Amino acid sequence: MQQYHMQCPMAYTRLVQVGLPATIEHRKRPGEGSGGGARAVAETVQHFITAMDSLKLNLVAVDQICPILSDLMGSMSKIGSLPPDFAPKGKVKAWYSKLYSQPASYELAEDEVRQLLFDLESSYNEFISTIR
């Protein structure tokens, strides 16, 4: 950015620190009566289960986990009935940001896998209790 004299601090922050595109982080939520809510809930449940199963099957490299967490964040952001400060969103986003800053070949240690799995399971349980 310095080489081309570019001044775009928000883009730099999003690219280097957060690692999330603005389209996912600030996605518009569909209308409550549009019929997309049930589909978004089903997708979110699917992505939670996929993430937890992937960790249980020892898929622990960054390039294996990040796409799943990205899909999970995207599906959660489609559900308009969730509060904006919903704790599971924050946990998943924090893990995604942490992993995104690592090289693709980086593999999580056993304690990191255990913590991520715990966070995903507790987030899933909170998500299920919230949508009921």
Side-chain angles (χ1 to χ4, degrees):
M1 287 180 34
Q2 292 176 349
Q3 179 181 357
Y4 296 106
H5 305 290
M6 297 173 65
Q7 297 177 356
C8 30
M10 293 299 291
Y12 177 79
T13 300
R14 188 163 316 287
L15 176 67
V16 176
Q17 295 173 348
V18 177
L20 293 175
T23 55
I24 289 180
E25 188 175 17
H26 302 292
R27 178 174 283 159
K28 284 188 175 182
R29 294 190 172 95
E32 291 290 324
S34 67
R39 179 181 301 153
V41 168
E43 286 178 4
T44 302
V45 168
Q46 172 190 343
H47 294 306
F48 264 118
I49 292 170
T50 301
M52 291 185 287
D53 287 348
S54 297
L55 293 171
K56 290 175 184 175
L57 291 172
N58 204 28
L59 299 175
V60 295
V62 168
D63 61 344
Q64 296 169 325
I65 301 170
C66 274
I68 298 169
L69 294 180
S70 177
D71 291 342
L72 178 57
M73 286 187 306
S75 63
M76 272 198 288
S77 69
K78 291 179 186 177
I79 303 172
S81 60
L82 294 178
D85 59 343
F86 190 51
K89 282 184 183 180
K91 286 182 184 178
V92 173
K93 183 178 177 181
W95 272 104
Y96 180 81
S97 296
K98 177 181 178 178
L99 295 175
Y100 186 80
S101 66
Q102 300 293 333
S105 61
Y106 177 79
E107 292 192 359
L108 294 174
E110 187 177 336
D111 59 332
E112 291 175 311
V113 172
R114 190 172 181 176
Q115 184 63 47
L116 176 54
L117 190 56
F118 175 78
D119 287 345
L120 286 172
E121 287 176 351
S122 63
S123 295
Y124 175 72
N125 291 333
E126 186 174 345
F127 173 75
I128 293 299
S129 66
T130 301
I131 61 171
R132 284 189 180 167

